[in-house]
Amino acid sequence: MDQDFLSQTALDQMVTSDQTQMLKAAIPYLPPSGQQILSVYAKIQELANTLSLFSPVRQEMQVCAAETTDPLDMIQDIRKHSFGGSRRQLDQIANILALVQMIQIMNE
């Protein structure tokens, strides 16, 4: 099954280009010396993009802000990019938050 999109965090979407993603996808197929050079190059590109994203000129704008401040939404978004024990912990936190929200509604 082909995916039409790559699951990335909001920050990754802002600092990574399609070319960088293709480069990173090719790295496992290169010899070790090529892997090392291209891995460092890809990360330097991401770092440079991150630094320019948060440069003083752009700090006046909200660069990386979510549309909502609901903790449950935040946990669900973070969960998309986690796995294993971290995902289970996020599920537990989400369940607790949902329970607290239900209790608050019942008390109103």
Side-chain angles (χ1 to χ4, degrees), residues 3-45:
Q3 277 186 310
D4 290 340
F5 66 93
L6 178 64
S7 176
Q8 294 180 310
T9 65
L11 180 62
D12 286 336
Q13 291 172 4
M14 288 186 277
V15 300
T16 302
S17 67
D18 289 343
Q19 293 81 10
T20 304
Q21 289 293 32
M22 289 188 294
L23 176 71
K24 288 164 55 176
I27 288 172
Y29 300 98
L30 299 173
S33 61
Q35 288 179 355
Q36 181 181 11
I37 291 168
L38 289 181
S39 295
V40 170
Y41 174 76
K43 292 302 177 181
I44 288 172
Q45 282 296 118

Side-chain angles (χ1 to χ4, degrees), residues 39-70:
S39 295
V40 170
Y41 174 76
K43 292 302 177 181
I44 288 172
Q45 282 296 118
E46 290 177 352
L47 177 61
N49 292 343
T50 302
L51 292 173
S52 89
L53 183 66
F54 293 100
S55 70
V57 174
R58 296 188 94 185
Q59 282 188 357
E60 294 175 5
M61 302 183 297
Q62 249 184 328
V63 176
C64 185
E67 296 173 9
T68 179
T69 56
D70 181 21

Side-chain angles (χ1 to χ4, degrees), residues 78-93:
I78 293 171
R79 184 186 183 281
K80 294 176 198 172
H81 306 284
S82 65
F83 57 93
S86 297
R87 180 171 273 194
R88 283 189 295 276
Q89 287 178 332
L90 289 169
D91 288 341
Q92 290 173 348
I93 293 168

